[in-house]
Structures are given as structure tokens and as C-alpha cells.
Amino acid sequence: QVQLVESGGGLVQPGGSLRLSCAASGSIFSIYAMGWYRQAPGKQRELVAEISSGSTNYTDSVKGRFSISGDNAKNTVYLEMNSLTPEDTAVYYCYARTLYSDSYVYDYWGQGTQVTVSS
């Protein structure tokens, strides 16, 4: 089992910044990738960013504005969000991708944290 605790969400004005954190505990040895999804009302859940073995991926709408990073010593990943716009408003969910029996993949999810960008 992997437990994920998110923090850092809140209300910010357009153009502002926030940093989300996701701390993992439990069977962390099984984690090989972590990242963030977001979901806004009436919209599909969207992959925002992912980090795995030092490589990162971002959805096009956040490239150049968001940055995902990890601190292995703290078993924590961060999502630095800059130049925020109202379109970034969503609940952000952290996930951890795990590997079992060398071939089976399972994703764990954080509780979600609300990010609201509004003037």
C-alpha cells in the first residue's frame, strides 16, 4: 500500500504562483513514477505532469509554466505552478505508479487539493 498526502492548494490571482507537494509513504520501494492529474467541473480528468527516472512530461497547456520535481530523500514530488490562469482552476490529484511482480502496474491517488485562480 502507498499513501499520498497532498498540500499546497489554495486561492491565487491570475499570474500568481503555487507549489503543490505530494508526500508518499508505505511501500514506496514499489513506486517508479509520480505525477499530477487535474479535473475541473464538467471536464475530463487531465494529466498535467509526470516524472519518472528523471524524465518529465507535461501537457501542452502547462509547458513552460509548470515544473515537476522530486526529492527522493523525502519521498515527495512537487508541482511548481507559475503564471496561473483561471483555466488552471481544478482539483489536482497526485498519483504514484507502482510495479508489482515485475509486470503489474497499479496507481495510487492522493486526496486531491483545490487550486482556484481568480481575481
Side-chain angles (χ1 to χ4, degrees), residues 85-97:
T85 75
E87 288 68 42
D88 297 314
T89 296
V91 178
Y92 285 70
Y93 296 93
C94 176
Y95 74 90
R97 183 154 292 166

Side-chain angles (χ1 to χ4, degrees), residues 40-51:
K43 297 183 179 179
Q44 296 281 71
R45 189 177 65 179
E46 175 188 37
L47 175 65
V48 178
E50 184 180 70
I51 185 167

Side-chain angles (χ1 to χ4, degrees), residues 8-38:
L11 175 65
V12 65
Q13 292 187 325
S17 299
L18 285 173
R19 188 177 75 163
L20 306 183
S21 299
C22 179
S25 61
S27 301
I28 57 175
F29 57 86
S30 65
I31 299 172
Y32 71 91
M34 294 182 70
W36 299 85
Y37 280 82
R38 66 185 180 187

Side-chain angles (χ1 to χ4, degrees), residues 12-13 15-20 35-39 46-50 56-69 78-93 115-117:
V12 65
Q13 292 187 325
S17 299
L18 285 173
R19 188 177 75 163
L20 306 183
W36 299 85
Y37 280 82
R38 66 185 180 187
Q39 188 164 30
E46 175 188 37
L47 175 65
V48 178
E50 184 180 70
T56 59
N57 292 294
Y58 302 91
T59 191
D60 287 343
S61 64
V62 308
K63 288 180 179 177
R65 300 189 298 119
F66 290 12
S67 179
I68 187 170
S69 61
Y78 305 93
L79 185 67
E80 181 71 33
M81 304 184 294
N82 302 306
S83 301
L84 286 162
T85 75
E87 288 68 42
D88 297 314
T89 296
V91 178
Y92 285 70
Y93 296 93
V115 172
T116 302
V117 185

